[in-house]
Amino acid sequence: MQTLVKTDQIEHLKATQPVLLLFGSPQCGVCQAVKPKLERLMRQKYPEIALVYIDCIESPDICAQHSVFSLPVVHLYIEGQLFLERGRSFSLLELGDEIERIYRLWTA
């Protein structure tokens, strides 16, 4: 999992490859619990989708640009388009199913 803090890096990544952005903070217990589980899911099932962590304490401007005002938030971008957005309380099982559906449509 990459940690990015510059807007231009994130925008380049979103435009050039599929990417799942996880917005969180070190003080957010849910964020810290979700992070390794999401990392494991993406590594095992979707290695071609980049996983990027954005620390909203360190980079509040990036979080504001993505309309992230509560944590955790997950965004899935494919070919520069936002395909999935989940925030605050979400099921990792349901998130995995939604990523699977979008991934299948994208690779078909």
Side-chain angles (χ1 to χ4, degrees), residues 4-104:
L4 297 180
V5 295
K6 295 190 178 185
T7 302
D8 58 336
Q9 292 174 318
I10 294 168
E11 293 306 316
H12 175 74
L13 199 58
K14 286 179 356 186
T16 58
Q17 70 182 88
V19 62
L20 186 76
L21 302 177
L22 171 60
F23 297 89
S25 104
Q27 291 84 13
C28 172
V30 175
C31 301
Q32 297 309 308
V34 165
K35 190 175 174 182
K37 293 175 184 176
L38 194 54
E39 193 170 16
R40 187 171 37 254
L41 170 73
M42 298 307 289
R43 185 176 56 246
Q44 290 174 350
K45 288 188 149 190
Y46 315 105
E48 51 283 316
I49 299 175
L51 180 59
V52 175
Y53 177 75
I54 299 166
D55 183 338
C56 291
I57 301 298
E58 191 174 313
S59 304
D61 55 328
I62 294 172
C63 295
Q65 289 170 357
H66 287 86
S67 300
V68 173
F69 302 107
S70 64
L71 299 174
V73 172
V74 174
H75 288 179
L76 175 62
Y77 287 88
I78 298 176
E79 297 176 2
Q81 298 292 315
L82 179 63
F83 274 81
L84 176 67
E85 179 178 17
R86 292 293 170 265
R88 205 150 223 212
S89 68
F90 53 86
S91 161
L92 283 174
L93 184 59
E94 289 176 11
L95 180 65
D97 290 344
E98 291 174 24
I99 293 171
E100 175 72 24
R101 182 182 58 79
I102 293 167
Y103 180 78
R104 285 180 188 238

